[in-house]
Amino acid sequence: MINNYLAILAESLDQKIVVLDEIAGYCREQEALLKRDSLSFEEFDACVDRKDNCIQTLTKLDEGFDTLYQRVKEQLAAGKDAYKDQIAQIQQKIKLVTEKSVSIQAQEARNKKMVEDYFTRERSQLRQGRQTSKAAYGYYKSMSNSDVMPPQFLDSKQ
């Protein structure tokens, strides 16, 4: 019975590895989108949505793994030697999952910095555009309000 549980735990970890690879791919896709000269918000949002679906799947896998592990935890502790190979295999997979998670977190931090830089640039360009527009409007307003005044002093000698 516990062999079945251990097999399910290993399979769950395999599924987590696949999902983490998908998430890493979406992170790379986001990075490529952010490196473009013009950011397509539709593509970026679609990528974020796909990544969000993967994260939800990963969360469900985590919850299932934790629930199952809590069931067999005591039996594993009692019979460590009998399941040594399976435990080592699961530990190896957990190590791989952890490495992938750390890699994704680092990529997410880089992407976050790129997004912040993008919005800072856009805000700056917007501010500059507003200032230019305001200056042009001010010039227009001052020129339209200035009535052409005839000369105040007339030379009456001729």
Side-chain angles (χ1 to χ4, degrees):
M1 186 69 154
I2 195 164
N3 286 329
N4 291 339
Y5 286 143
L6 290 174
I8 292 170
L9 287 174
E11 184 180 326
S12 173
L13 288 171
D14 289 336
Q15 290 174 354
K16 284 170 87 171
I17 290 169
V18 169
V19 172
L20 285 170
D21 287 338
E22 283 183 53
I23 292 172
Y26 292 136
C27 286
R28 286 189 296 274
E29 184 180 338
Q30 282 180 326
E31 180 183 18
L33 289 171
L34 290 168
K35 285 184 176 180
R36 289 185 188 169
D37 290 335
S38 63
L39 178 63
S40 169
F41 288 111
E42 292 81 22
E43 288 181 51
F44 191 79
D45 283 344
C47 184
V48 169
D49 289 341
R50 290 189 304 267
K51 188 165 70 168
D52 183 51
N53 290 336
C54 288
I55 291 170
Q56 289 175 6
T57 302
L58 188 64
T59 302
K60 289 177 185 175
L61 287 170
D62 278 340
E63 290 169 357
F65 182 88
D66 289 340
T67 303
L68 188 57
Y69 179 73
Q70 292 304 320
R71 283 187 186 172
V72 297
K73 181 175 157 180
E74 293 173 9
Q75 293 173 352
L76 283 176
K80 259 197 248 185
D81 295 331
Y83 309 108
K84 188 166 79 170
D85 292 338
Q86 291 170 315
I87 291 172
Q89 193 178 48
I90 289 173
Q91 285 174 335
Q92 191 65 27
K93 289 179 183 185
I94 290 172
K95 182 180 175 186
L96 184 60
V97 165
T98 304
E99 289 172 359
K100 288 182 180 290
S101 296
V102 168
S103 172
I104 289 170
Q105 286 175 352
Q107 182 65 46
E108 283 292 322
R110 287 191 297 271
N111 286 355
K112 180 182 176 194
K113 176 72 173 129
M114 290 172 73
V115 167
E116 289 171 350
D117 291 346
Y118 174 80
F119 284 122
T120 300
R121 276 193 317 274
E122 289 298 312
R123 248 185 254 119
S124 170
Q125 289 175 354
L126 206 68
R127 189 177 307 116
Q128 184 179 7
R130 267 193 247 131
Q131 288 173 346
T132 303
S133 177
K134 186 177 178 182
Y137 179 71
Y139 176 76
Y140 169 76
K141 191 174 177 182
S142 69
M143 292 316 268
S144 67
N145 284 341
S146 67
D147 294 331
V148 177
M149 298 186 91
Q152 298 295 319
F153 298 101
L154 231 41
D155 189 8
S156 55
K157 295 183 196 174
Q158 288 193 343

